Amino acid sequence: MTNTPRKTEPFQTIVPTKAMNMFLFPFSFDRKNKEQLVHALEANLFEFFSIQNKHVEKEYYGEQYYVSHDSLDQYFLPYIECILFPDSCEKEGLLRFSKKIDHTVTLQTSSTTVSSNVLSVDVFLCPFEIGVMTIRTEMSHNHYTYDDILEFMNHFRVLEPKLAEEHGSTITYEHHRYSKVQDYIFSQLAPFLNEHIKKEATREQHVGSLPYFIDERMFVLSYVTVNQEQEINSTTLFRTGQLNSYTPDGKPFISAHNHEYIKTYNTKHVYSRWAPETYYVITDHVFSCISKSTDSKTDQLLMNHLFGQHYYNLFLHFFYKIVLLKLSYEYSQLTFHKNSEGIERLIRSITVFSGKYLFLEISSRTEGQEFSELFKKIFHINSLYQEVKETLGTLYQNQEKIAAKRHNYLLLILTIYTVLSGIYGMNLVISKLKGNINWDSMKQFSIFEYIALIVALSGILISISLGVSSLWNLLKDRFKT
């Protein structure tokens, strides 16, 4: 007898009491223009974020919440703090610039209309020419269903609609109406940023897209509180991880029907240490905290953790994934037989990333270590890093082959000149190049004297060019960062 898979648990009509979201938008910028970008951020009232600056603890998270800088300071290990919280924008690390926004936007789809307050925006300038914008929002009212919240998360994260189910949604701010979220971002939140974003010349993509990363969508971090009497079942957790909201005809949607599949999925993606009151869902698309707690202190604590230390924990691994994908992509773009400089640059990048930024342990807290392991698993950090390590070995082999080939060519040239010089001797014509040179006398040269002259002059030119080239490469390596 064939076992029939059990169907999913019934859809829950969950009434949330609070919903806050953060949307992470990665982009690339030119390292040479980093200083100009910093000036542009400061000119547009983005303040450099320093963990010592405690007056901004309540600045960016709405009226009810704050993020404790002391908690951030105690959560991460010391060698991670200097990367996550550099004390000036001249230092290397994840440079954060933040600005309070206070916009009210309305997202309209075929299924619902949702209003949300845009509280603030972060712009991170990271090593390896990676930038990340974070848009922090809070639902304006509490009469929305959980499906409405998922609908907002699912559509607001789409920078440029490409699929049929993504078309038709609009963003309205005051009297401005946008069919693309990216148009709202670059018109209202950071209009100066567009000119600083590095474009991919060979691909027609939305502005800011990375050819080696997820296109047209932002990563979502959310915090939702629900009624205390309601149970949070496996169907709700699965729909959160998949951002399943509505079907085109406005009915609640789930992208799986096999209960065993959903159970297995939740086992991998749901962190249930504080169940059944609080669950964390971690996937490729979203990191969400769903809680039934109504106590104000617990509410503040959960939000403080999620938008504080968990945010930075997630962000660090998000950065790891982008850089590892970038290194793999750059390796695939190399032309080995003529791009030795690119090989050296990539070797340097991999070495710097492995030694300076990638760490196995980032927190001494139990939950910090467990979240870190989950992020590594979900983002495939270990497998991506293993691939990059193998890439490094291949790069060294190719570099050795190119260097050996160059040495062989150089040795061949020097051998030819040594043999010719030995046969003819430079003294055949060198005496005629002293003092005032009689150029007319060269018309009387024999064929062998012409060969000797050509060998002498070309040997001098080649020696000078090799010396200048070596000096240039030495200076370039010394000043290269």
Side-chain angles (χ1 to χ4, degrees):
M1 180 181 293
T2 304
N3 292 326
T4 303
R6 286 201 297 151
K7 292 186 177 180
T8 61
E9 294 179 293
F11 287 103
Q12 292 181 289
T13 305
I14 295 180
V15 179
T17 58
K18 193 179 284 84
M20 302 183 70
N21 299 307
M22 290 200 292
F23 298 87
L24 275 62
F25 165 36
F27 60 89
S28 181
F29 64 92
D30 193 335
R31 182 172 58 89
K32 297 177 182 177
N33 299 328
K34 180 180 176 181
E35 187 175 346
Q36 297 177 14
L37 180 51
V38 170
H39 291 326
L41 286 164
E42 293 173 341
N44 285 271
L45 306 180
F46 280 79
E47 183 179 1
F48 175 71
F49 180 87
S50 172
I51 200 170
Q52 286 80 30
N53 234 355
K54 294 187 179 182
H55 77 274
V56 298
E57 288 183 328
K58 300 181 180 180
E59 185 74 11
Y60 308 118
Y61 315 101
E63 296 180 358
Q64 302 179 36
Y65 297 111
Y66 68 93
V67 171
S68 169
H69 289 193
D70 289 334
S71 296
L72 286 174
D73 188 38
Q74 295 298 317
Y75 188 80
F76 296 99
L77 295 172
Y79 54 77
I80 289 291
E81 288 183 0
C82 61
I83 296 173
L84 293 179
F85 313 114
D87 53 14
S88 83
C89 54
E90 284 78 29
K91 298 288 183 66
E92 287 292 327
L94 308 182
L95 305 178
R96 172 181 166 182
F97 297 83
S98 299
K99 180 182 180 180
K100 187 176 181 179
I101 299 295
D102 198 20
H103 282 183
T104 298
V105 298
T106 301
L107 172 73
Q108 185 173 5
T109 70
S110 59
S111 302
T112 188
T113 300
V114 183
S115 293
S116 185
N117 293 330
V118 179
L119 301 174
S120 59
V121 171
D122 300 336
V123 175
F124 282 85
L125 303 183
C126 309
F128 302 95
E129 303 178 344
I130 299 298
V132 180
M133 174 188 283
T134 299
I135 305 168
R136 197 172 287 107
T137 70
E138 181 179 17
M139 291 298 187
S140 304
H141 308 286
N142 59 1
H143 60 266
Y144 299 117
T145 67
Y146 194 72
D147 297 328
D148 292 333
I149 293 173
L150 290 175
E151 181 82 344
F152 179 80
M153 293 161 60
N154 189 33
H155 282 271
F156 193 84
R157 70 186 289 257
V158 179
L159 291 162
E160 182 177 0
K162 291 293 183 70
L163 303 177
E165 60 267 22
E166 297 170 349
H167 289 282
S169 62
T170 59
I171 288 285
T172 303
Y173 167 65
E174 294 183 340
H175 59 280
H176 303 284
R177 192 179 182 90
Y178 305 96
S179 59
K180 299 177 182 178
V181 174
Q182 72 174 24
D183 292 341
Y184 163 70
I185 292 174
F186 292 112
S187 296
Q188 301 296 336
L189 299 183
F192 64 92
L193 191 60
N194 194 2
E195 62 182 281
H196 294 281
I197 289 179
K198 190 175 182 180
K199 312 299 191 299
E200 180 68 17
T202 58
R203 295 164 64 96
E204 294 183 359
Q205 298 175 316
H206 74 87
V207 63
S209 176
L210 305 178
Y212 43 84
F213 201 62
I214 303 171
D215 285 339
E216 292 94 32
R217 289 175 177 83
M218 295 185 278
F219 188 91
V220 186
L221 189 150
S222 74
Y223 172 60
V224 182
T225 59
V226 300
N227 193 297
Q228 194 172 21
E229 285 74 30
Q230 293 181 293
E231 293 295 329
I232 303 171
N233 67 19
S234 60
T235 297
T236 298
L237 294 172
F238 178 84
R239 293 180 68 209
T240 301
Q242 291 290 301
L243 292 177
N244 294 154
S245 52
Y246 291 108
T247 62
D249 58 355
K251 295 180 180 180
F253 169 69
I254 187 169
S255 57
H257 299 287
N258 186 335
H259 180 75
E260 295 303 322
Y261 174 84
I262 292 174
K263 182 179 178 182
T264 302
Y265 180 90
N266 287 345
T267 300
K268 180 180 178 182
H269 293 276
V270 176
Y271 183 73
S272 56
R273 178 177 178 175
W274 296 283
E277 286 77 22
T278 302
Y279 295 89
Y280 289 87
V281 183
I282 308 167
T283 71
D284 288 327
H285 319 294
V286 64
F287 175 36
S288 181
C289 174
I290 312 171
S291 177
K292 296 194 299 178
S293 175
T294 57
D295 178 73
S296 59
K297 291 185 178 180
T298 305
D299 179 38
Q300 167 58 44
L301 184 64
L302 288 172
M303 189 277 173
N304 179 47
H305 287 178
L306 188 71
F307 281 22
Q309 49 257 49
H310 297 334
Y311 170 49
Y312 273 96
N313 196 341
L314 165 75
F315 193 97
L316 186 64
H317 290 86
F318 190 69
F319 166 69
Y320 285 168
K321 180 177 181 179
I322 296 175
V323 175
L324 289 169
L325 289 173
K326 178 181 181 179
L327 296 174
S328 296
Y329 174 77
E330 289 182 350
Y331 172 72
S332 70
Q333 299 300 302
L334 283 177
T335 306
F336 290 105
H337 64 279
K338 59 181 179 182
N339 198 357
S340 60
E341 185 176 346
I343 292 176
E344 292 176 3
R345 185 168 58 249
L346 187 52
I347 289 175
R348 188 181 297 108
S349 296
I350 295 175
T351 305
V352 169
F353 175 72
S354 301
K356 191 173 181 180
Y357 297 103
L358 185 64
F359 296 100
L360 297 177
E361 296 286 341
I362 68 169
S363 174
S364 58
R365 304 282 183 87
T366 303
E367 68 270 21
Q369 296 170 358
E370 291 173 348
F371 273 118
S372 179
E373 288 302 315
L374 281 171
F375 293 142
K376 288 177 184 177
K377 186 183 299 183
I378 299 302
F379 290 154
H380 309 289
I381 300 298
N382 292 335
S383 58
L384 287 172
Y385 180 59
Q386 185 61 36
E387 181 181 334
V388 167
K389 282 175 61 179
E390 294 173 358
T391 295
L392 185 62
T394 304
L395 288 172
Y396 275 122
Q397 293 176 7
N398 281 282
Q399 189 184 43
E400 290 174 358
K401 290 179 182 179
I402 292 174
K405 193 174 182 179
R406 284 183 173 178
H407 291 157
N408 289 337
Y409 281 138
L410 180 60
L411 184 60
L412 176 63
I413 292 172
L414 294 177
T415 301
I416 292 173
Y417 274 94
T418 301
V419 171
L420 290 176
S421 300
I423 292 175
Y424 293 106
M426 293 300 101
N427 58 339
L428 285 175
V429 296
I430 201 69
S431 59
K432 298 181 180 180
L433 300 179
K434 296 178 180 179
N436 295 324
I437 300 174
N438 184 4
W439 299 102
D440 292 333
S441 66
M442 294 184 184
K443 298 178 181 178
Q444 312 300 322
F445 279 7
S446 67
I447 184 65
F448 297 108
E449 288 176 316
Y450 276 120
I451 293 174
L453 178 63
I454 293 170
V455 169
L457 295 179
S458 62
I460 293 172
L461 291 175
I462 289 175
S463 299
I464 293 173
S465 65
L466 288 175
V468 171
S469 176
S470 299
L471 182 60
W472 169 252
N473 289 331
L474 179 64
L475 292 174
K476 187 169 63 174
D477 289 340
R478 180 176 293 273
F479 291 105
K480 190 175 293 183
T481 57

